[in-house]
Amino acid sequence: MAKPQYKTLSIKGVTVDYDTRSIPYIQADNNNELLFTTKLRDEVNAYIRVYDNGEIGVFPQYGSRFVFVDSHHLRMELNIEDPLD
């Protein structure tokens, strides 16, 4: 299996490294949610919500997890088998 590759983006002052097998989407009225999907499933694998007070809510779903690097930097990892690997 190939080693995951990551890209980085920022939402509301939070740095997020994400597995490039996932596709990020920014959502919500004030752009405070970041959703991730993959080509393997037609649903959200994980999402992050940054609240007005600066707190971060993480919601891992099927085949994903979050690893906090520090208080405003995290990594979204996939732990799903990709048939293309």
Side-chain angles (χ1 to χ4, degrees):
M1 185 159 79
K3 184 177 177 182
Q5 296 180 354
Y6 293 91
K7 287 189 176 180
T8 301
L9 56 77
S10 180
I11 179 171
K12 298 286 187 176
V14 176
T15 301
V16 180
D17 301 325
Y18 65 94
D19 189 311
T20 58
R21 295 176 294 171
S22 64
I23 303 164
Y25 298 94
I26 294 178
Q27 174 179 291
D29 292 337
N30 59 356
N31 295 327
N32 69 336
E33 291 183 345
L34 181 60
L35 286 71
F36 296 94
T37 62
T38 68
K39 298 174 189 171
L40 299 177
R41 293 175 65 98
D42 190 23
E43 61 187 44
V44 173
N45 286 83
Y47 72 98
I48 300 165
R49 179 177 294 141
V50 181
Y51 297 97
D52 291 337
N53 64 2
E55 290 184 16
I56 303 168
V58 294
F59 306 90
Q61 313 250 348
Y62 171 80
S64 66
R65 70 179 180 174
F66 290 99
V67 176
F68 280 83
V69 177
D70 63 36
S71 64
H72 282 83
H73 185 179
L74 55 105
R75 182 172 59 242
M76 192 283 288
E77 298 179 346
L78 293 177
N79 56 0
I80 54 178
E81 292 298 320
D82 188 338
L84 299 176
D85 283 349

